[in-house]
Amino acid sequence: MRIALTGTPGVGKTTLAAEAARHGWQVVDVKAWAQESGAVVGHDVEQGADEVDTDLLRVPPDDGSPVLYEGHLSHHLPLDAAWVVRLDPLVLRSRLLARGYPQWKVEENVEAEAMDLILQEALPAFPRLIQRDGTRRSPQELLAAFVEAGSDRLKAPDVEAVDWSHRLL
Ligand code: DAT
């Protein structure tokens, strides 16, 4: 089972992936993989971010063992399932400010999170999709919440409800 671990920057993907690795999961850092395999095709100076062509990444076939592909572009890869991590936009804002992001980039990501952007991108591509809210969960609790949902047993998306649309006002 090859799983995209996705979500807006700052929601806690890397932390969750590290927790999963401690429990024996294989983890692929999509950004590092893109750099190693020449899939970084440019740099957007305005965005201050690398441009990755995910079509250039060759995903290995499923060998039966669970693999997490971690990164906010991972849901653009042809994988078997997706985990979408969510976070209250107000908490996200303080995390991104602490990370030193410029104000406009903080607001762009906070808005994307409040309007479910990544969920909306991932839903059409992944019948086996699990969404969980990381706001009041430790990394251990969040991992358990995804694992308990059982990506391999899913017949339809399992989307934990979050509603932060009022944060847009
Ligand atoms: P991402 O990889 O999605 O950009 P991250 O894992 O680097 O996010 O986490 C961003 C910050 O939030 C980092 O300082 C650690 C903290 N964090 C992550 N998961 C958390 C959790 N479940 N509870 C509290 N803080 C968390």
Side-chain angles (χ1 to χ4, degrees):
M1 172 76 45
R2 301 158 304 172
I3 301 172
L5 168 49
T6 190
T8 308
V11 292
K13 301 179 297 296
T14 312
T15 307
L16 178 63
E19 182 62 26
R22 270 193 290 279
H23 286 80
W25 286 67
Q26 198 184 324
V27 173
V28 176
D29 174 342
V30 172
K31 196 173 175 187
W33 181 32
Q35 278 159 354
E36 286 157 20
S37 35
V40 177
V41 293
H43 185 78
D44 187 326
V45 179
E46 256 181 40
Q47 287 288 324
D50 285 340
E51 290 168 353
V52 174
D53 183 349
T54 48
D55 290 340
L56 297 177
L57 294 171
R58 291 278 144 253
V59 178
D62 184 14
D63 68 359
S65 57
V67 186
L68 282 180
Y69 287 79
E70 182 260 315
H72 69 280
L73 298 174
S74 60
H75 60 283
H76 296 294
L77 295 168
L79 300 169
D80 306 304
W83 291 1
V84 181
V85 179
R86 302 303 302 274
L87 190 70
D88 183 322
L90 287 185
V91 180
L92 181 64
R93 178 179 282 134
S94 54
R95 281 194 196 172
L96 293 179
L97 286 172
R99 197 180 258 189
Y101 274 23
Q103 191 75 41
W104 64 266
K105 201 169 174 181
V106 171
E107 296 313 325
E108 194 174 272
N109 282 294
V110 164
E111 204 170 296
E113 181 61 15
M115 58 194 268
D116 304 333
L117 185 69
I118 288 195
L119 175 68
Q120 297 307 333
E121 285 177 1
L123 265 176
F126 293 96
R128 289 172 168 175
L129 177 148
I130 304 169
Q131 166 168 289
R132 291 294 180 267
D133 181 3
T135 309
R136 273 171 290 275
R137 286 180 168 121
S138 67
Q140 297 89 321
E141 289 166 341
L142 189 56
L143 178 64
F146 280 110
V147 170
E148 280 162 14
S151 308
D152 46 350
R153 299 190 303 270
L154 281 186
K155 299 272 184 280
D158 175 348
V159 178
E160 184 170 69
V162 295
D163 182 7
W164 298 310
S165 50
H166 56 287
R167 300 278 200 233
L168 287 169
L169 300 176

